[in-house]
Amino acid sequence: MTPQDLVIRMLPPFAGWLALAALALPGGSPLRGAAVVVFLAAGPGTALVGLCGPALRVRSARGPVERRDPAFARHSDLLERMMLAVLVSIAAVMIVATVLIATHTFNAQRVLLALTLLTTLAAFCPRLRASPPSRTRKGSVL
């Protein structure tokens, strides 16, 4: 792993710890709100999608037949990972909040702390490897 890969991998947990530190700012501070919203919108999802990155890159997008845009696959894959990161982040926020509400321990700081810990854990986990393509013949059941 190169130092650049390590820095990119540690950005989401850093954003989470920064959002937790921003809670010390006054309640109506725009900086506090921005740090928390940016982390909740993209932090956990970025770490979790990054965990599955090699498996997602196995099959790239195919462009339309009429137009041969050489950068279509790269841009399409990037857009796919960005949308997945946002949607997985929203799902993680909803799941953690629901669990805390169900256990009668809901608190904004606890939600943020749980998601920051989840993001940190996902950033330190090894990346999932892509499975080799199956060797089934065309028309076979398996």
Side-chain angles (χ1 to χ4, degrees), residues 43-94:
T46 302
L48 292 170
V49 168
L51 185 66
C52 303
L56 291 174
R57 288 187 205 103
V58 170
R59 295 184 183 172
S60 64
R62 287 185 287 169
V65 178
E66 304 87 43
R67 291 180 35 183
R68 298 286 182 194
D69 185 10
F72 175 82
R74 189 181 75 234
H75 292 152
S76 179
D77 290 342
L78 179 64
L79 180 62
E80 175 187 5
R81 284 192 302 270
M82 285 175 21
M83 290 304 299
L84 273 173
V86 170
L87 295 174
V88 168
S89 289
I90 293 169
V93 170
M94 297 305 288

Side-chain angles (χ1 to χ4, degrees), residues 4-139:
Q4 182 182 7
D5 291 337
L6 184 65
V7 168
I8 291 172
R9 200 171 182 174
M10 291 300 129
L11 279 177
F14 177 72
W17 293 110
L18 186 67
L20 277 171
L23 293 179
L25 294 172
S29 172
L31 186 59
R32 176 181 176 172
V36 171
V37 166
V38 166
F39 171 70
L40 291 179
T46 302
L48 292 170
V49 168
L51 185 66
C52 303
L56 291 174
R57 288 187 205 103
V58 170
R59 295 184 183 172
S60 64
R62 287 185 287 169
V65 178
E66 304 87 43
R67 291 180 35 183
R68 298 286 182 194
D69 185 10
F72 175 82
R74 189 181 75 234
H75 292 152
S76 179
D77 290 342
L78 179 64
L79 180 62
E80 175 187 5
R81 284 192 302 270
M82 285 175 21
M83 290 304 299
L84 273 173
V86 170
L87 295 174
V88 168
S89 289
I90 293 169
V93 170
M94 297 305 288
I95 290 170
V96 168
T98 302
V99 167
L100 291 176
I101 288 170
T103 58
H104 302 288
T105 57
F106 180 77
N107 188 343
Q109 287 85 4
R110 287 185 185 138
V111 171
L112 197 56
L113 179 63
L115 289 169
T116 301
L117 292 174
L118 173 74
T119 304
T120 304
L121 181 67
F124 281 112
C125 284
R127 303 283 188 214
L128 298 178
R129 294 180 185 220
S131 61
S134 63
R135 296 185 174 237
T136 58
R137 290 183 292 157
K138 189 174 184 178

